[in-house]
Amino acid sequence: MTRTLLVAPLVAALLAALPAAAAAPEAALTTVSERSGFTKTGRYDEVIALCEAFARRYPQAVRCQDFGTTPEGRPMKVLVVSKAGAFTPQEAKAKGLPVMLIQGGIHAGEIDGKDAGFLALRQTLEGEAAPGALDRQVLLFVPVFNVDGHERFAAWNRPNQRGPEEMGWRTTAQNYNLNRDYVKADTPEMQAMLRLVNAWDPLAYVDLHVTDGAKFEHDVSIQVEPVHSGDDALRQAGTALRDGVIARLAAEGSLPLPFYPSFVRNDEPESGFEDGVATPRFSHGYFQLRNRLGMLVETHSWRDYPHRVNVTRNTIVALLDLLAANGAQWQAQANAADARARQLAGKPVALDYKATDKVRTIDFRGYEYTRTPSDVSGAPMTHYDETKPQIWHLPMRDELVPAHVVAAPAAGYIVPAAHAAWVGAKLDQHGVQYRRLGTALASVKVEAFRADKATPAAQSVEGHQRITLEGRWSPETQDIGAGALFVPIDQPKARLVIALLEPQAPDALVAWGEFNNYFERKEYMEDYVAEEVAREMLKDPKVKAAFEQRLKDDADFAASPQQRLEFFARRHSSWDSQYRRYPVVRVERAPR
């Protein structure tokens, strides 16, 4: 097959480029991939066996543990690795050791991280790579996050990727994309991962992927947050981590990028690039909300598998070195960010980010290409000539600014008792602090959000009908029932609280459709009844004047019988006061 032919001539050279392994590595600690010359990858039973074999071979440095079970009943494995004798979160904290979690296979067809991780781990434990690094940190290595997807095993599961010969599938057995699930946490897999994260509180969380997209020479991209987002001071640590990895990869001969190389217009190189900040449904958009460092590693899909495994291995080694050298300092910066988060009350907080119109030109290493009409699709198609490297001079928009900003609530949010059970469970999954109100409260001054416009998505996303709200917070008074939840802003995860509960945050619970009932009309007035009500109301000069002014000012309103009748229905006592009112409210004082 074409894929095998493209890989074969390079295997020997790329294997030679890999760091020298031990003269005779224990067979049980090598992967199917390594033994095949990095043309194949093993099945999940190999992960189980290797996890246990590493723990047997290095009893003073490795523990093999289960941290969850998949919907199809498979164990989710993590290797806890440290030469400092810290194999529990409590021991790591007591010894002051930073923790780094590296995961492979969240998209199980993009499986470089599994094979590179086992290789880097063996070499590091043997002292052949990152000498001394494991004395100064704890590594949590999850070889495969999407375990069930990994076992949907076949050739061409990744048609836009060279190698391995067979691989797993992008989504889970329930057809969820785990790298869209960090905030909503629908899946058993993500809930297990969040339990692991809550227990260990890793300083750095590294997510190993492979790109899709065009053909070019650059072989890896490294993105980290906070760099453009999150706590201002912690961005220094995020930038240092990103730039440190990029510098080490470049020294190894890679061509790394600090942004995801996806064209503004699909498959049109001349359209250039636009940088951005991932929303918290994604791994590297999520962890900055916890005041921790999130890294997305994307090797380039059109580099063959031996090359990609080598680059991913080099990335892991660089990370181990950097965390060993800087982890204590970065942990102190993260802890200081936790303290600052507790002081966010009333301060502006960005909900999302956008690129400005400022454009610069970058040199980008691509290939000669043509765009010609296709007699198959009828559309212009791009054809790349990989034998002819070419420098592209492309527009880049990478000046990033907040797109939507809100002031954090003065005290926090109140979730009504009717939603306390499921929202409380969601907050528990993220380790967010809250308390349940034991008694009812009368006439509480709150801020309530009422949507002027609620626009549901045209199609479902990850099993949800997402919704976009336009509206504002305004003062109201309401009774609060016993059993409601108070979620304080005074906590280290304040930014995560805002991301979950602010109605206009891009991945808030409401944005994922969890409160859609409140934006649906449940009761209505027949048109003929509304007509009678309208004529009675028009006897009031103020109502009449307001109606006539609206007719004059709003052409769409004037042309819509429904809007005109609704003008009067909204003023009638039968109107549903809860329609388009988000049930979570904000408060300026903590309830007692």
Side-chain angles (χ1 to χ4, degrees):
M1 297 171 69
T2 303
R3 180 180 306 176
T4 304
L5 293 174
L6 287 166
V7 170
L10 297 175
V11 169
L14 288 168
L15 283 175
L18 286 167
E26 182 181 332
L29 299 186
T30 61
T31 59
V32 166
S33 183
E34 187 175 359
R35 296 193 296 273
S36 73
F38 298 99
T39 60
K40 303 177 185 292
T41 195
R43 300 297 293 266
Y44 193 67
D45 56 1
E46 177 187 55
V47 171
I48 297 172
L50 278 173
C51 185
E52 295 168 349
F54 268 86
R56 287 194 303 270
R57 174 67 178 80
Y58 305 103
Q60 303 305 313
V62 180
R63 299 290 184 271
C64 173
Q65 298 176 357
D66 291 2
F67 70 96
T69 303
T70 72
E72 291 187 333
R74 297 183 177 92
M76 301 175 72
K77 292 290 187 179
V78 58
L79 287 81
V80 181
V81 186
S82 178
K83 290 188 175 182
F87 299 110
T88 68
Q90 296 76 19
E91 291 169 342
K93 187 174 183 180
K95 293 175 181 288
L97 294 173
V99 178
M100 176 165 60
L101 193 158
I102 298 179
Q103 72 179 25
I106 190 172
H107 296 154
E110 306 166 25
I111 203 57
D112 308 19
K114 176 190 69 174
D115 294 322
F118 278 122
L119 175 62
L121 181 57
R122 188 188 74 228
Q123 292 174 338
T124 303
L125 288 164
E126 289 296 323
E128 300 161 9
L134 291 174
D135 296 326
R136 289 171 282 174
Q137 65 189 291
V138 177
L139 170 65
L140 306 177
F141 175 47
V142 177
V144 181
F145 186 7
N146 177 14
V147 177
D148 290 343
H150 185 279
E151 292 305 278
R152 185 177 168 181
F153 205 74
W156 297 106
N157 275 350
R158 289 276 294 165
N160 308 311
Q161 175 180 299
R162 288 182 178 143
E165 292 177 2
E166 296 178 289
M167 71 286 287
W169 188 252
R170 182 179 184 85
T171 56
T172 70
Q174 297 173 327
N175 212 34
Y176 282 103
N177 183 340
L178 288 176
N179 203 28
R180 306 295 184 272
D181 198 35
Y182 279 85
V183 167
K184 59 186 179 64
D186 286 330
T187 62
E189 295 96 332
M190 185 58 69
Q191 291 167 17
M193 179 60 76
L194 290 175
R195 287 193 296 272
L196 185 67
V197 166
N198 289 336
W200 282 93
D201 189 20
L203 169 64
Y205 185 99
V206 182
D207 192 6
L208 303 173
H209 285 251
V210 182
T211 66
D212 290 295
K215 295 180 179 180
F216 42 74
E217 289 193 296
H218 295 278
D219 55 355
V220 63
S221 71
I222 304 293
Q223 293 174 272
V224 174
E225 291 298 337
V227 168
H228 305 292
S229 64
D231 181 86
D232 287 342
L234 191 56
R235 296 180 191 189
Q236 297 174 3
T239 302
L241 177 63
R242 181 197 66 183
D243 292 352
V245 170
I246 286 175
R248 282 162 173 75
L249 290 176
E252 294 284 350
S254 279
L255 298 171
L257 296 166
F259 61 90
Y260 188 87
S262 178
F263 298 130
V264 172
R265 294 190 299 276
N266 186 49
D267 213 19
E268 294 185 32
E270 66 276 10
S271 68
F273 303 105
E274 180 182 309
D275 204 358
V277 173
T279 65
R281 73 187 70 173
F282 300 95
S283 62
H284 63 304
Y286 174 77
F287 279 89
Q288 58 92 1
L289 298 175
R290 300 175 70 115
N291 304 312
R292 300 298 181 262
L293 309 177
M295 175 180 285
L296 175 70
V297 178
E298 294 267 3
T299 55
H300 186 41
S301 61
W302 292 111
R303 292 299 189 109
D304 60 35
Y305 197 54
H307 183 97
R308 297 202 318 269
V309 170
N310 184 36
V311 172
T312 305
R313 175 265 174 204
N314 291 344
T315 302
I316 294 169
V317 172
L319 284 162
L320 289 168
D321 276 335
L322 285 163
L323 208 75
N326 303 284
Q329 176 188 348
W330 293 343
Q331 186 69 64
Q333 290 176 298
N335 294 342
D338 285 347
R340 286 189 293 273
R342 300 191 65 164
Q343 306 300 318
L344 279 177
K347 296 179 180 178
V349 177
L351 299 180
D352 54 2
Y353 294 81
K354 64 181 179 181
T356 69
D357 292 332
K358 183 178 180 180
V359 179
R360 63 187 181 97
T361 300
I362 64 170
D363 292 341
F364 191 86
R365 293 179 59 161
Y367 300 108
E368 287 190 14
Y369 68 93
T370 59
R371 279 184 62 79
T372 56
S374 167
D375 57 0
V376 176
S377 69
M381 299 300 292
T382 304
H383 303 273
Y384 299 93
D385 186 344
E386 294 177 81
T387 67
K388 297 178 180 179
Q390 184 181 70
I391 301 297
W392 297 338
H393 306 290
L394 302 181
M396 163 63 88
R397 294 169 56 204
D398 58 357
E399 181 181 67
L400 302 178
V401 298
H404 299 93
V405 177
V406 297
Y413 300 88
I414 291 182
V415 179
H419 295 282
W422 75 265
V423 174
K426 194 62 58 181
L427 297 175
D428 289 338
Q429 289 165 5
H430 292 283
V432 168
Q433 301 168 17
Y434 64 90
R435 61 182 172 88
R436 195 175 303 272
L437 303 184
T439 59
L441 303 174
S443 301
V444 178
K445 292 182 178 179
V446 303
E447 287 182 287
F449 184 92
R450 293 184 180 270
D452 300 319
K453 187 176 182 181
T455 307
Q459 62 185 37
S460 68
V461 178
E462 291 291 298
H464 293 255
Q465 185 182 35
R466 286 177 52 82
I467 195 166
T468 301
L469 304 180
E470 298 175 32
R472 66 196 59 79
W473 293 101
S474 57
E476 294 188 11
T477 299
Q478 74 172 62
D479 297 337
I480 305 293
L485 307 181
F486 171 62
V487 188
I489 206 69
D490 180 7
Q491 60 176 298
K493 295 187 181 73
R495 294 180 190 276
L496 180 54
V497 169
I498 291 169
L500 286 163
L501 297 180
E502 270 298 319
Q504 293 181 297
D507 283 327
L509 298 177
V510 66
W512 281 104
E514 300 289 3
F515 292 98
N516 277 5
N517 263 344
Y518 288 86
F519 306 99
E520 301 169 1
R521 286 283 297 275
K522 303 296 186 178
E523 186 58 272
Y524 64 95
M525 184 181 289
E526 296 284 2
D527 287 353
Y528 69 87
V529 176
E531 184 83 17
E532 295 172 359
V533 167
R535 293 189 183 282
E536 187 64 28
M537 285 187 175
L538 283 169
K539 295 177 182 179
D540 184 331
K542 291 183 179 179
V543 174
K544 187 173 186 294
F547 180 62
E548 291 174 348
Q549 190 65 44
R550 183 79 182 275
L551 290 172
K552 180 181 177 181
D553 295 343
D554 188 339
D556 289 340
F557 174 81
S560 171
Q562 181 181 5
Q563 290 186 47
R564 289 168 68 152
L565 290 175
E566 189 173 297
F567 175 91
F568 299 99
R570 283 178 173 272
R571 286 162 169 77
H572 194 266
S573 59
S574 66
W575 181 258
D576 180 6
S577 64
Q578 301 304 308
Y579 176 51
R580 289 186 176 174
R581 185 185 189 274
Y582 177 46
V584 177
V585 297
R586 296 162 40 130
V587 289
E588 293 187 357
R589 296 181 180 179
R592 297 182 180 181

